[in-house]
Amino acid sequence: MGAVFLKDVELCHADEKDLAELSALGKLLWPGHTTDELKEEFLSEMKKNAHFFLLRVQGCSVGFAQCALRHDYVEGTDSSPVGYLEGIFVKEGHRGKGYGRRLLKACEEWAKQAGCCEFASDCESANASSRLFHLHTGFQEANRIICFVKKL
């Protein structure tokens, strides 16, 4: 899939040359990380066959998606590998225009081309907007878990 242009909107595969843009967007999604940490992590994930898509509007980066193949068990699935949405983000001011759906569709197509017949994702229980995005884009809730931890 090459770049797709539609009304000054470009959706393209991202690679190492795009790490600065990806990590800047990633910092908005995961504010607990530095852009340098995200650059290193994204580069490492690219080398492991994760895939990134970048969305630009009038030349400015406004969104990205990270997807990967998971070969371990993924909750609610019956096959392997499973395409997995690791992260998706669209800047405020650009939301509600279908950009998230475009990014997701690109990830799903990539997973199909990689031989996947299922695609999965997750979100934090408190992230209502992510949950609604998933439900409105065709995902079905597979399970809920409660994670525990204690100090030793």
Side-chain angles (χ1 to χ4, degrees):
M1 171 183 185
V4 176
F5 294 93
L6 182 63
K7 294 185 179 180
D8 296 323
V9 176
E10 175 191 8
L11 175 62
C12 61
H13 291 275
D15 57 27
E16 291 183 39
K17 71 178 174 11
D18 303 306
L19 283 171
E21 290 174 272
L22 288 171
S23 60
L25 291 166
K27 174 102 172 93
L28 296 172
L29 179 59
W30 298 298
H33 297 278
T34 67
T35 53
D36 287 338
E37 289 171 336
L38 290 168
K39 277 182 192 175
E40 287 180 33
E41 182 179 330
F42 290 171
L43 180 58
S44 174
E45 292 301 316
M46 283 177 184
K47 291 177 180 179
K48 294 178 189 172
N49 199 26
H51 206 81
F52 292 79
F53 291 93
L54 190 57
L55 184 95
R56 295 183 183 105
V57 175
Q58 297 178 335
C60 297
S61 300
V62 302
F64 84 102
Q66 175 186 358
C67 50
L69 301 179
R70 291 206 177 173
H71 297 275
D72 54 332
Y73 174 71
V74 175
E75 189 73 40
T77 65
D78 298 317
S79 63
S80 181
V82 172
Y84 203 87
L85 183 64
E86 302 289 347
I88 189 166
F89 177 79
V90 175
K91 282 183 175 179
E92 285 189 44
H94 295 278
R95 295 178 185 164
K97 298 177 181 181
Y99 297 151
R101 286 179 186 271
R102 287 185 190 180
L103 286 162
L104 175 61
K105 182 73 173 164
C107 290
E108 291 171 341
E109 289 300 318
W110 173 81
K112 281 183 196 176
Q113 291 175 6
C116 298
C117 60
E118 293 180 286
F119 197 78
S121 184
D122 63 46
C123 72
E124 297 285 332
S125 61
N127 192 339
S129 61
S130 180
R131 182 176 181 276
L132 286 175
F133 171 79
H134 283 84
L135 293 172
H136 287 126
T137 56
F139 285 96
Q140 295 176 351
E141 193 171 307
N143 194 10
R144 290 187 185 220
I145 62 170
I146 300 171
C147 299
F148 297 94
V149 67
K150 67 179 175 180
K151 303 285 185 201
L152 298 178

